Amino acid sequence: MLRRLHAFAEHLRVIEVDGRLAGFASAWRNDDHLMLGPVVAQRPELAKALLTDLALAAGEAEVRIDVDDVHTGLADWVVARGLTPGFASTIMTHGGPLPADRSRLYSPLMQALG
């Protein structure tokens, strides 16, 4: 999925800290919405910076982001900026835990993919 994200997304942002990748996020159109996600970052403030920059690209489109439930601070931050929470979902895996640090995932690419 990540190899093709740049071709799918309308906007893609990355953040580097000390010359190393510290986060990335994308935005893509779904009808009249600009969907923000995935958002992956080392820290909440980096996720907020990525989201702010992507939201500026929305123009007249409505912006939607589905924030992972474990990031309540980010969810509150999103609501304080006028966005209505989208959907909640349960992360499910088959065959054991995923081989990644899930705490860095702030928003999925889309609900159907996670």
Side-chain angles (χ1 to χ4, degrees):
M1 178 182 76
L2 290 177
R3 285 188 190 127
R4 299 196 184 270
L5 184 59
H6 70 281
F8 174 75
E10 183 173 319
H11 302 279
L12 184 61
R13 303 291 191 268
V14 297
I15 289 183
E16 289 184 3
V17 174
D18 298 326
R20 299 185 68 199
L21 180 65
F24 68 92
S26 70
W28 50 281
R29 299 274 172 187
N30 184 14
D31 297 325
D32 59 345
H33 288 85
L34 184 67
M35 309 294 291
L36 305 183
V39 178
V40 178
Q42 290 178 345
R43 299 185 307 273
E45 59 272 13
L46 298 177
K48 291 174 185 176
L50 289 163
L51 289 170
T52 299
D53 196 58
L54 285 172
L56 292 172
E60 297 298 315
E62 290 189 40
V63 175
R64 176 177 154 184
I65 180 167
D66 299 323
V67 178
D68 192 315
D69 290 342
V70 301
H71 297 290
T72 55
L74 184 63
D76 293 342
W77 180 86
V78 166
V79 169
R81 277 140 188 85
L83 297 176
T84 303
F87 297 95
S89 64
T90 300
I91 303 296
M92 296 182 287
T93 62
H94 177 72
L98 294 173
D101 181 358
R102 297 290 297 187
S103 70
R104 295 179 184 206
L105 177 64
Y106 289 86
S107 177
L109 172 61
M110 61 182 66
Q111 288 288 319
L113 296 178

